[in-house]
Amino acid sequence: PLLDVVLLRYGYIKKEEFSYIPFTPLLGEYLQVYEGKSEIPKARKKHFKPDEILLLFSKSQRMILELLKSREGEIVSRDDIAKALWGEGWEDRYSDWAIDQLLSSIREKMGSSRMDGQIITKKGEGIIFIPS
């Protein structure tokens, strides 16, 4: 079957003589449950409670996310983000690299948790949060 070919290609199963051996016992259990079904089960969208979202993000990430959400649909400048992050004396601590790293990690966590919304960088202008 097609599923076996895909799993074999990416190393999730290996072929030994006349059978396929799963990479892990957990995968073996999964394949037994869904053996013979015509389609691969679809991942369910997981909805997180607010407390669970707080656990996913660091303090700095939450600060940026809250700032962007409070001004959703508006372009937020990097200076405004730096002020929120570093407070007084932000000019001395300003780092485009640090802001980019935080935004990247926020996007990654939003994607992996299937959190609604999207963060977009407008080059030369700032960052915008667009709700789904």
Side-chain angles (χ1 to χ4, degrees):
L2 179 60
L3 182 58
D4 291 342
V5 172
V6 172
L7 292 173
L8 186 61
R9 176 185 295 164
Y10 293 106
Y12 290 106
I13 59 174
K14 61 182 178 176
K15 190 171 184 176
E16 286 190 2
E17 292 188 33
F18 301 106
S19 64
Y20 293 105
I21 309 297
F23 178 70
T24 66
L26 182 61
L27 180 58
E29 290 175 28
Y30 175 82
L31 292 173
Q32 285 177 352
V33 169
Y34 291 101
E35 187 175 295
K37 295 199 176 185
S38 62
E39 65 179 51
I40 299 170
K42 295 177 182 162
R44 290 187 212 147
K45 188 170 184 177
K46 185 172 182 181
H47 295 283
F48 287 87
K49 297 176 185 171
D51 294 342
E52 291 174 317
I53 291 173
L54 291 177
L55 296 175
L56 290 174
F57 296 95
S58 70
K59 181 179 179 182
S60 297
Q61 292 167 345
R62 285 193 315 267
M63 288 172 67
I64 291 176
L65 192 54
E66 288 172 14
L67 171 66
L68 294 172
K69 280 185 166 187
S70 72
R71 295 176 53 187
E72 80 179 34
E74 295 178 34
I75 295 175
V76 179
S77 72
R78 288 177 168 273
D79 288 352
D80 289 343
I81 291 172
K83 288 173 193 174
L85 279 174
W86 297 300
E88 203 170 302
W90 64 272
E91 297 98 341
D92 297 331
R93 301 177 70 195
Y94 184 89
S95 166
D96 274 328
W97 180 85
I99 292 171
D100 288 339
Q101 292 301 308
L102 283 167
L103 289 169
S104 176
S105 61
I106 291 169
R107 285 183 181 112
E108 185 178 313
K109 289 179 181 180
M110 286 177 69
S112 65
S113 67
R114 293 183 172 91
M115 190 174 163
D116 293 333
Q118 186 178 11
I119 295 175
I120 299 171
T121 300
K122 299 284 289 173
K123 191 170 181 161
E125 296 181 61
I127 316 300
I128 185 169
F129 176 81
I130 308 226
S132 296

